[in-house]
Amino acid sequence: LGLRIHAHVGSESPSGGVIESVGERGLLGEDVTLVHCSELDDADVGAIALSGASVALAPARQMAAGLGPPPIQQLTGRDVRPGLGIDDERLAPGDMFAQMRATISVQHATVFDRKLAGKAGLPRLMSTREVIRFATVDGAKVAGLRGVTGSLEPGMQADVIVLRADRPNIFPVNDPIGAVVWGMDTSNVDWVFVGGRVLMRQGVLEGDVQRARSLAATARQRVAEASGIVVSAASGGAG
């Protein structure tokens, strides 16, 4: 059908050996995106690298939900560049700044742990330039949008985020890329363009925020009633 396949791996139970088996059956490829990838064997990572399948990591949510640290070094050691995501904003911040910091912090902690343990052949520390690619170019690839968005170049969709560099949380700026990854947050977002259309202007959302809030509240009520968590007011019961 020409549709992409997205599958959670290792989010509920250990997945060692599963991906290797799937790869041996010819079921991995560039149209497959694997999410989380907790507790993979080296053979699993090798199968991913060989097939060209993509990996999406949600580092903050994975650790908050007890899924263990995301396998960042295991993946990048085989030249598998993951895209970054949120997964569940009930358990993790819903912005890419937090995900970039979580990713680079976990990778650095992994390297330092190995160093303290006296292990040889330490991997190099991930750079801020690498992790910002995970959140942009590689994130677009993981979502099946390579060639559409993720970078600023001719022929790509005009998706642009303009960040303020004059906020006190990051000045003086010595390294612009480092400032974005280590210091910035949503307060630095000044303009947002999607397909050339302005969605945020000078820090203010252009969309109908009140309508979005109302739709979210309505959806929450509908789901809660359907699941029996609350009783509909129309039925005369108590919520």
Side-chain angles (χ1 to χ4, degrees), residues 105-128:
S105 295
V106 167
Q107 195 273 343
H108 284 198
T110 299
V111 175
F112 292 140
D113 281 347
R114 293 183 184 182
K115 183 177 181 180
L116 290 172
K119 295 184 178 180
L122 295 176
R124 62 179 179 80
L125 294 175
M126 178 183 293
S127 71
T128 52

Side-chain angles (χ1 to χ4, degrees), residues 6-230:
H6 292 253
H8 280 220
V9 179
S11 57
E12 301 297 335
S13 60
S15 53
V18 173
I19 298 305
E20 180 188 16
S21 176
V22 170
E24 290 173 348
R25 295 165 61 190
L27 299 178
L28 292 180
E30 294 186 0
D31 60 341
V32 175
T33 295
L34 305 172
V35 185
H36 296 311
C37 294
S38 301
E39 300 186 46
L40 296 185
D41 292 341
D42 288 340
D44 292 322
V45 179
I48 294 172
L50 184 64
S51 69
S54 297
V55 174
L57 298 179
R61 189 268 181 183
Q62 286 179 228
M63 291 184 287
L67 302 182
I72 298 165
Q73 185 56 52
Q74 196 177 10
L75 293 168
T76 57
R78 296 296 295 268
D79 199 30
V80 177
R81 301 200 306 268
L84 303 183
I86 312 302
D87 189 64
D88 187 346
E89 61 184 16
R90 298 173 304 166
L91 297 175
D95 66 273
M96 280 293 124
F97 298 103
Q99 308 312 318
M100 287 191 291
R101 275 191 288 277
T103 299
I104 196 170
S105 295
V106 167
Q107 195 273 343
H108 284 198
T110 299
V111 175
F112 292 140
D113 281 347
R114 293 183 184 182
K115 183 177 181 180
L116 290 172
K119 295 184 178 180
L122 295 176
R124 62 179 179 80
L125 294 175
M126 178 183 293
S127 71
T128 52
R129 189 172 294 275
E130 286 175 303
V131 78
I132 208 169
R133 286 183 61 89
F134 294 164
T136 54
V137 178
D138 295 324
K141 174 180 175 292
V142 165
L145 295 172
R146 180 169 56 181
V148 177
T149 188
S151 61
L152 303 179
E153 55 186 301
M156 302 288 271
Q157 183 168 293
D159 295 340
V160 184
I161 297 176
V162 180
L163 302 171
R164 296 189 65 110
D166 59 350
R167 300 294 191 193
N169 60 334
I170 51 100
F171 69 71
V173 175
N174 300 309
D175 171 11
I177 300 298
V180 172
V181 173
W182 287 116
M184 288 192 178
D185 55 40
T186 54
S187 70
N188 295 95
V189 180
D190 196 33
W191 291 75
V192 175
F193 301 84
V194 176
R197 175 189 171 201
V198 177
L199 294 187
M200 175 174 281
R201 187 188 305 270
Q202 295 182 322
V204 179
L205 286 172
E206 293 273 282
D208 189 342
V209 178
Q210 181 56 46
R211 179 173 181 272
R213 185 182 294 121
S214 177
L215 289 172
T218 300
R220 178 182 61 181
Q221 183 70 17
R222 182 175 65 251
V223 172
E225 290 176 0
S227 63
I229 296 175
V230 300

